[in-house]
């Protein structure tokens, strides 16, 4: 009899046929080095390409979420997950064995309800982006805010806070981080940011210019209510054609 997985890795994906194979390969290689049983769930978020087929061929569980809303996709994966621990990884992100082990060590300690990791980008073409990445990592460590490309937690904490907020189209990882920190405080646990970095794609630096990035940051800081609008959250749902 096969035991239930201890760790469920959930990868939301919309038209990620180009990037998903590398992410799955990296994740599977990292999971092969750990003692815990695990599973990978790919959430096909209304893709029109071969995303679902690629995931199935790689041996992953696949669930379909028809509404293009990242929080709904993440929650759909969590809903069918069997693990005691949940790990959310973006489809253009490549966790390694050291990071997976650090994640499991934190969760196994019993003192951590969830957390994230410092973000390293595979390339950033402009110094403004490099400054922005450094600023985010500093802010993330200080305030305990996980980047959406890598978020981990116990199932207990996730369910207790209601999962990712489906009221927003973006920034759901920030709301989850704050909710889990509050929950953890009342249960003698903490939301921990790991020093071990996660490597992710800098593709948005290729897709959008510095001015657009600055505008989006100001929007999120000054007009957080705008994240409830799909139209105003265009940055997270737009890709260049061709």
């Amino acid at each position: 009899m096969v035991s239930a997985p201890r760790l469920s890795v959930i990868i939301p994906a919309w038209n990620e046929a180009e990037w998903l194979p590398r992410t799955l390969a990296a994740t599977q290689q990292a999971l092969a080095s750990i003692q815990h049983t695990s599973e990978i769930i790919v959430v096909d978020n209304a893709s029109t390409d071969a995303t679902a087929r690629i995931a199935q061929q790689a041996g992953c569980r696949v669930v379909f979420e028809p509404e293009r809303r990242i929080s709904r996709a993440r929650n759909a994966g969590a809903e069918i997950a069997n693990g005691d621990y949940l790990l959310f990884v973006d489809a253009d992100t490549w966790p390694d064995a050291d990071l997976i082990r650090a994640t499991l060590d934190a969760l196994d300690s019993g003192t951590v309800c969830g957390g994230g990791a410092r973000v390293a980008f595979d390339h950033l073409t402009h110094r403004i982006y490099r400054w922005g990445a450094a600023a985010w990592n500093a802010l993330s460590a200080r305030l305990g805010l996980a980047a959406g490309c890598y978020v981990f937690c116990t199932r207990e904490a996730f369910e207790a806070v209601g999962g990712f907020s489906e009221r927003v189209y973006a920034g759901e990882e920030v709301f989850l981080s704050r909710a889990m920190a509050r929950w953890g405080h009342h249960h003698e646990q903490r939301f921990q940011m790991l020093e071990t970095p996660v490597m992710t794609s800098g593709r948005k630096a290729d897709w959008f210019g510095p001015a657009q990035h600055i505008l989006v940051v100001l929007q999120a800081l000054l007009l957080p209510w705008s994240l409830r609008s799909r139209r105003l959250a265009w940055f997270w749902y737009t890709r260049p054609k061709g």
Side-chain angles (χ1 to χ4, degrees):
M1 180 176 178
V2 179
S3 61
R6 182 72 164 155
L7 173 67
S8 294
V9 181
I10 299 161
I11 304 175
W14 171 67
N15 287 350
E16 294 288 4
E18 178 182 357
W19 293 82
L20 188 59
R22 179 179 174 184
T23 294
L24 293 180
T27 304
Q28 289 171 331
Q29 182 176 357
L31 293 176
S33 71
I34 65 173
Q35 299 299 319
H36 293 63
T37 54
S38 62
E39 65 177 351
I40 300 177
I41 298 170
V42 173
V43 184
D44 175 12
N45 197 193
S47 298
T48 57
D49 66 0
T51 290
R53 177 172 56 80
I54 290 170
Q56 290 169 341
Q57 290 177 344
C60 304
R61 299 177 65 194
V62 178
V63 59
F64 181 72
E65 169 51 52
E67 181 180 343
R68 293 251 352 263
R69 188 188 303 235
I70 186 64
S71 55
R72 285 186 63 89
R74 297 186 196 278
N75 287 341
E79 186 175 350
I80 71 162
N82 294 315
D84 299 313
Y85 301 152
L86 306 178
L87 169 59
F88 300 88
V89 177
D90 278 354
D92 63 341
T93 299
W94 314 295
D96 62 17
D98 288 342
L99 179 57
I100 295 292
R101 283 193 289 268
T103 298
L104 291 171
D105 286 346
L107 293 171
D108 282 343
S109 72
T111 63
V112 173
C113 61
R118 186 164 56 86
V119 179
F121 292 90
D122 64 340
H123 73 283
L124 291 174
T125 56
H126 197 289
R127 61 185 176 184
I128 287 180
Y129 299 139
R130 294 191 288 273
W131 292 341
W136 163 258
N137 281 326
L139 185 69
S140 170
R142 183 173 182 83
L143 299 182
L145 302 176
C149 63
Y150 195 88
V151 184
F152 62 87
C153 59
T154 64
R155 173 180 292 280
E156 179 186 14
F158 185 83
E159 293 179 348
V161 303
F164 289 97
S165 172
E166 296 185 7
R167 300 175 64 187
V168 296
Y169 283 90
E172 72 286 343
E173 70 275 20
V174 172
F175 295 106
L176 184 79
S177 297
R178 296 175 65 181
M180 283 203 170
R182 290 191 296 269
W183 183 88
H185 177 73
H186 293 293
H187 292 80
E188 298 183 345
Q189 295 182 341
R190 67 186 185 279
F191 192 79
Q192 180 178 341
M193 303 307 300
L194 302 176
E195 282 296 318
T196 307
V198 61
M199 180 66 69
T200 191
S201 166
R203 60 184 178 174
K204 279 191 169 65
D206 300 327
W207 294 349
F208 306 108
Q212 291 171 302
H213 281 83
I214 293 172
L215 178 63
V216 167
V217 170
L218 292 176
Q219 172 191 339
L221 291 175
L222 301 178
L223 304 170
W225 53 265
S226 68
L227 299 177
R228 298 183 183 183
S229 165
R230 167 70 180 275
R231 181 174 62 85
L232 295 178
W234 61 270
F235 180 84
W236 289 269
Y237 295 86
T238 304
R239 293 183 185 177
K241 296 180 180 179

